[in-house]
Amino acid sequence: MRQADVVIAGGGLVGASLALALAQTGLDIVVVEASSAATTEPASFDERHTALAPASRRFFEALGAWPAMAPRANPLHEIRVSDQGRFGFMRMRASEEGLPALGWVVPNHVIGAALTPLLAAAPSVTRYQPAHVTAVMPDDTGVTVLVDGAASETMIRAQLLVVAEGAGSPTRAALGIGQRERSYHQSAIVAKVATERHHEGCAWERFGRQGPLAVLPAEDGVSLVWAMSPERAQAMRAATDAEFLEVLQEQFGHRLGRLQAVGQRHLYPLSALAAERVVGRRAVVVGNAAHTLHPVAGQGLNLSLRDIATLAECLADAREHDIGAPALLHDYAARRRRDYQRVFGFTDLLVRGFSNALPGVSAARDVALLGLDAIPPLRRELVQRAMGRHGWLPRLMRGIDLTERSET
Ligand SMILES: Cc1cc2nc3c(=O)[nH]c(=O)nc-3n(C[C@H](O)[C@H](O)[C@H](O)COP(=O)(O)OP(=O)(O)OC[C@H]3O[C@@H](n4cnc5c(N)ncnc54)[C@H](O)[C@@H]3O)c2cc1C
């Protein structure tokens, strides 16, 4: 039986980032990732573009991964929020907040390409790939994990199991941790679009009758996340490029001139999922396995990075003791509860509030957007929330590595 300190089930955006954070602590880490390294990249590291908040950038800087992402990261200088067919409008500008950028937009496969070689070079990290966890047996002193790989089965004894398998995680279910689901009856189309004019570092959040449309600055154009009913999303994916661009142009307008070409379209079903608990016996659930959010506010990964930066800090500070002890795990869960509630509440309000076409609700939205635009303290509060700067931040998100002990 192989011995380890931590087994991480799932080596996607969240699992791989956590492994790299824990590599700083000297703990012995095993990552079990289902997808095949040789043939396809994990689905986590796909064509989507993620808007990383400044604290998430600091996290990747502390991990040494940012230099490889920086050349492909598009800074967000401005975000404009509007309601299609209404006059409500608000704008957030980095310059008004005294910041170099409100965030950075990075393709997921670029994040993967930055993390993968660092993980491969980390002496305290072992990867089993392609492999998956087939059984977990927690007890008072540790957890035994059975891993099924391409050629053989391995039994690993660890102090702690971290589940980062994404939504629908089988290991979360095997631990007896259920999940709640809120369906929005929406799917997102993700695609790159070439535009006549350059985006100049501006992102648009445009709420339409069919659902929200996020347009993010990207290399050679913009990256779309366009939410709509699942039936319409299927039809829009199947539409010709010309038909797709015509409907998109109607919802987005001519802010970037003529929309010239669209790349491959990918479909993501959307719902909000939440694990009933984020800790179990000798286990922690993180990332989409713990909470999956609607992408409208671009908060899912940023929230998960705050989770794992906090978890890594808790484990680093307890590394000479039992890192799977119930008190430590419950302390971690308690530290993270409020941030999740705040982000979920904010995201859910946006999806529901802006999907409602009743005249009274639309007028209230106009007033809310114009009020936010006109009143700097309110706008600043929103910017702080959107950037995940509310409340306490773990050391890695302040750019401090884990080799030193916490004073907080
Ligand atoms: C359209 C869209 C746009 C988004 N935009 C943003 C954004 O701008 N900003 C933001 O903060 N967030 C954004 N998000 C959210 C973000 O993508 C998620 O938070 C993130 O992907 C979660 O990563 P994860 O590693 O938890 O899960 P996943 O990405 O699902 O990765 C799970 C990993 O586990 C592996 N796995 C699965 N099952 C097993 C198993 N049994 N054994 C071993 N391995 C397994 C998979 O192969 C995969 O590598 C967006 C989401 C969507 C859908």
Side-chain angles (χ1 to χ4, degrees):
M1 190 187 303
R2 190 195 187 291
Q3 303 288 329
D5 293 311
V6 182
V7 174
I8 302 174
L13 282 164
V14 173
S17 302
L18 175 64
L20 203 52
L22 290 176
Q24 297 186 352
T25 65
L27 291 167
D28 186 0
I29 314 299
V30 169
V31 180
V32 182
E33 166 56 41
S35 68
S36 159
T39 51
T40 52
E41 285 296 318
S44 206
F45 303 138
D46 57 14
E47 292 304 314
R48 279 173 293 171
H49 284 56
T50 293
L52 294 173
S56 299
R57 172 187 161 155
R58 282 195 296 277
F59 171 83
F60 285 125
E61 279 171 348
L63 265 50
W66 182 254
M69 297 181 205
R72 309 274 314 265
N74 275 281
L76 274 173
H77 295 305
E78 185 172 330
I79 300 175
R80 297 182 193 171
V81 184
S82 60
D83 205 357
Q84 189 188 8
R86 308 284 310 179
F87 55 84
F89 172 81
M90 77 155 292
R91 176 188 337 237
M92 298 179 253
R93 285 198 179 111
S95 56
E96 285 170 6
E97 308 304 323
L99 297 166
L102 295 166
W104 284 264
V105 180
V106 188
N108 283 12
H109 63 87
V110 170
I111 303 179
L115 297 176
T116 307
L118 293 174
L119 276 180
S124 57
V125 179
T126 309
R127 283 186 304 172
Y128 288 80
Q129 184 176 6
H132 56 275
V133 171
T134 49
V136 273
M137 289 148 281
D139 56 50
D140 287 348
T141 57
V143 54
T144 302
V145 180
L146 198 61
V147 174
D148 194 5
S152 60
E153 242 184 17
T154 312
M155 200 176 265
I156 306 171
R157 179 74 179 165
Q159 295 186 63
L160 180 68
L161 169 67
V162 180
V163 182
E165 292 172 341
S169 157
T171 306
R172 173 193 47 71
L175 287 164
I177 302 177
Q179 67 176 16
R180 296 182 298 270
E181 176 168 3
R182 173 173 291 189
S183 171
Y184 293 116
H185 197 64
Q186 285 184 352
S187 292
I189 289 199
V190 171
K192 285 277 297 289
V193 171
T195 56
E196 190 183 355
R197 285 204 295 272
H198 191 258
H199 50 68
E200 308 293 351
C202 185
W204 286 263
E205 188 71 65
R206 188 140 170 84
F207 291 92
R209 285 178 294 278
Q210 315 279 354
L213 164 67
V215 176
L216 300 172
E219 293 167 313
D220 316 324
V222 292
S223 170
L224 307 178
V225 180
W226 193 3
M228 57 189 82
S229 72
E231 301 75 24
R232 188 158 185 267
Q234 289 286 0
M236 288 298 285
R237 184 166 63 168
T240 64
D241 288 2
E243 286 164 347
F244 183 89
L245 289 170
E246 191 186 327
V247 181
L248 178 64
Q249 187 97 59
E250 196 208 326
Q251 176 155 348
F252 184 60
H254 283 76
R255 289 160 181 82
L256 289 172
R258 203 170 57 79
L259 303 177
Q260 294 172 321
V262 57
Q264 208 182 341
R265 287 160 246 169
H266 305 271
L267 215 65
Y268 294 84
L270 303 178
S271 52
L273 303 173
E276 283 163 359
R277 293 173 282 129
V278 296
V279 298
R281 197 174 185 205
R282 296 264 156 200
V284 179
V285 187
V286 295
N288 271 1
H291 39 63
T292 305
L293 300 176
H294 192 293
V296 64
Q299 297 285 328
L301 182 63
N302 290 298
L303 175 71
S304 291
L305 295 181
R306 294 197 291 279
D307 287 342
I308 59 170
T310 306
L311 179 62
E313 183 168 324
C314 292
L315 301 184
D317 290 347
R319 64 191 151 212
E320 279 137 33
H321 308 285
D322 180 1
I323 57 166
L328 183 150
L329 303 188
H330 287 109
D331 176 46
Y332 159 75
R335 284 201 208 187
R336 295 304 303 145
R337 195 165 297 127
R338 279 193 59 198
D339 192 13
Y340 166 69
Q341 287 168 345
R342 205 162 35 214
V343 171
F344 172 75
F346 173 61
T347 303
D348 194 58
L349 181 74
L350 277 182
V351 181
R352 291 173 178 270
F354 279 91
S355 303
N356 193 326
L358 289 174
V361 180
S362 305
R365 279 201 303 262
D366 288 341
V367 172
L369 284 177
L370 291 172
L372 282 167
D373 196 50
I375 306 169
L378 279 183
R379 200 181 55 235
R380 196 146 298 139
E381 174 71 16
L382 183 77
V383 171
Q384 296 292 329
R385 277 174 193 263
M387 289 169 49
R389 283 166 58 140
H390 238 260
W392 177 86
L393 277 180
R395 293 214 295 283
L396 287 170
M397 301 228 124
R398 288 180 273 138
I400 306 167
D401 72 27
L402 293 177
T403 49
E404 285 170 32
R405 204 161 284 277
S406 174
E407 285 157 24
T408 52

